[in-house]
Amino acid sequence: MGKPIAQSLKQEMLNLNLHIIDSNIDYDLKNRKYNNIKQLIELAKPDVVLFALKPQKIRDVIAEYQEFIGCNTKIISIMAGVTIDYLQNIFPKNQVIRLMPNLGAKIQKSVNLAYATYISQQDQKFFTNLFNSFGTTIWLDHEKMLHAATAVAGSGPAYYYYILSIYTNYLIEAGFSQIEAKKIATLTAKSAIETSNNDSFSSLIEQVTSKGGTTEAALNILKRNNQLQKIITSSLDEAVNRSKELSS
C-alpha cells in the first residue's frame, strides 16, 4: 500500500518533501526519493512518518526508527490491527494516527478510514487534506471500528476481484475471450456502482428485476436460505477476528 500512496500524493500542492524507505529497492541516485534508514537519520527530523508495512514485521523494523523520529514527528500507521497504544508505547511523545486505506489509492480513489485518540482541529484538517490527495477520508469515533473497516474497506477490493473473476470465468466457459469476458464483468460492475448513488440498494434491485425473468431466477438462488449472506458475513467476521489477533 505504501507505493500507491506515495505515487498518488500531490507533493507540490501539499508542499511535501517525500522520502521513501523500501528494503526491497536499492538506493537509486537518479531517484533521490528512495533512501535507506541510515541516510534518513542524517536528515532533519521529519514532520510526518507513514509506516506502511505488514503488521507481522513491526517488531523487527520499527525499533530502527526511534533515532530517526523527532519528538514533534507525527506518525501515521496503516498496519492492520496494530493499536495506537502499542505505537504510543514506542513513541510516547508523538501524535499517532491510524489509517486504513485501500488499493483505490492507485487511482486516487482510496477509501481512507482514520482514527486518532486525540487530534487538534488544525492537525485533523492537515491530515484530511493529505489523505484526500489519494482518496476520500472518513474519521472514526472509536478505534475498535477499524476492525470492521479493515474487513470491509481495507480488504474489500480483493473480495470484489474474486467475484469478478467468477463472472469472467463463467463467460469464458460460455465462449467469450478472456479480454471480452473481463470487459463485460468489469464494465457491468462499474455501471452498477455509478448508478447506485441516489436510490437504496433494494430499490435498485427492483429496477433490474422483472417478475418471472432471468434476474429473479438468479436472485432466488443467491437468496436461498440466506446462504450467500451468511457466507459473506462469516468471511467478514473472520477478517475482523484476524485484525483483533494482530492487535493482541
Side-chain angles (χ1 to χ4, degrees):
M1 275 307 306
K3 186 176 180 180
I5 290 173
Q7 290 175 332
S8 296
L9 282 173
K10 299 172 182 176
Q11 295 181 60
E12 293 80 11
M13 183 182 299
L14 295 168
N15 194 26
L16 297 175
N17 183 13
L18 182 66
H19 294 271
I20 301 168
I21 303 171
D22 190 335
S23 59
N24 298 316
I25 299 176
D26 292 331
Y27 181 57
D28 184 354
L29 291 174
K30 295 179 181 179
N31 185 352
R32 292 184 179 274
K33 289 180 183 178
Y34 288 93
N35 301 260
N36 60 44
I37 185 63
K38 291 181 180 178
Q39 289 164 326
L40 283 185
I41 288 173
E42 296 172 0
L43 300 173
K45 303 299 184 184
D47 295 322
V48 179
V49 168
L50 169 66
F51 284 111
L53 57 132
K54 301 295 185 184
Q56 296 89 336
K57 295 182 178 180
I58 184 171
R59 291 177 177 83
D60 299 327
V61 173
I62 207 165
E64 294 183 78
Y65 292 79
Q66 288 178 301
E67 183 180 354
F68 163 60
I69 291 173
C71 60
N72 294 320
T73 301
K74 293 177 172 60
I75 295 171
I76 305 167
S77 167
I78 66 170
M79 296 179 283
V82 179
T83 65
I84 285 181
D85 281 347
Y86 181 94
L87 293 167
Q88 210 78 72
N89 285 333
I90 301 171
F91 305 109
K93 298 180 180 179
N94 301 92
Q95 168 80 69
V96 177
I97 297 167
R98 286 190 63 189
L99 176 70
M100 180 48 60
N102 65 23
L103 200 57
K106 292 176 70 173
I107 55 170
Q108 299 178 343
K109 290 189 177 180
S110 174
V111 179
N112 302 319
L113 292 310
Y115 175 77
T117 304
Y118 168 79
I119 188 168
S120 68
Q121 288 186 342
Q122 181 179 356
D123 282 347
Q124 187 175 53
K125 182 178 180 180
F126 169 79
F127 284 109
T128 299
N129 289 335
L130 179 67
F131 301 153
N132 282 350
S133 71
F134 54 89
T136 300
T137 305
I138 300 170
W139 288 88
L140 306 181
D141 293 330
H142 305 285
E143 186 174 15
K144 65 181 181 180
M145 296 170 70
L146 278 165
H147 293 304
T150 298
V152 174
S155 303
Y159 315 149
Y160 290 110
Y161 298 147
Y162 180 69
I163 291 170
L164 286 172
S165 72
I166 294 173
Y167 289 135
T168 299
N169 291 334
Y170 184 87
L171 290 171
I172 290 171
E173 291 181 7
F176 291 87
S177 70
Q178 185 172 358
I179 292 175
E180 291 171 333
K182 184 177 179 181
K183 187 174 184 178
I184 292 169
T186 55
L187 288 179
T188 300
K190 184 178 180 180
S191 66
I193 291 167
E194 291 180 351
T195 55
S196 67
N197 291 331
N198 297 324
D199 295 323
S200 66
F201 289 124
S202 59
S203 174
L204 290 163
I205 291 169
E206 289 179 4
Q207 291 174 40
V208 182
T209 307
S210 300
K211 186 68 175 177
T214 58
T215 307
E216 184 182 64
L219 285 173
N220 286 341
I221 299 299
L222 294 175
K223 293 180 178 181
R224 183 178 293 170
N225 298 322
N226 289 324
Q227 284 302 307
L228 181 60
Q229 181 175 331
K230 291 175 182 177
I231 289 171
I232 292 174
T233 301
S234 178
S235 72
L236 294 175
D237 286 343
E238 192 68 18
V240 166
N241 291 337
R242 182 55 181 150
S243 177
K244 291 177 178 178
E245 288 173 3
L246 290 170
S247 67
S248 60

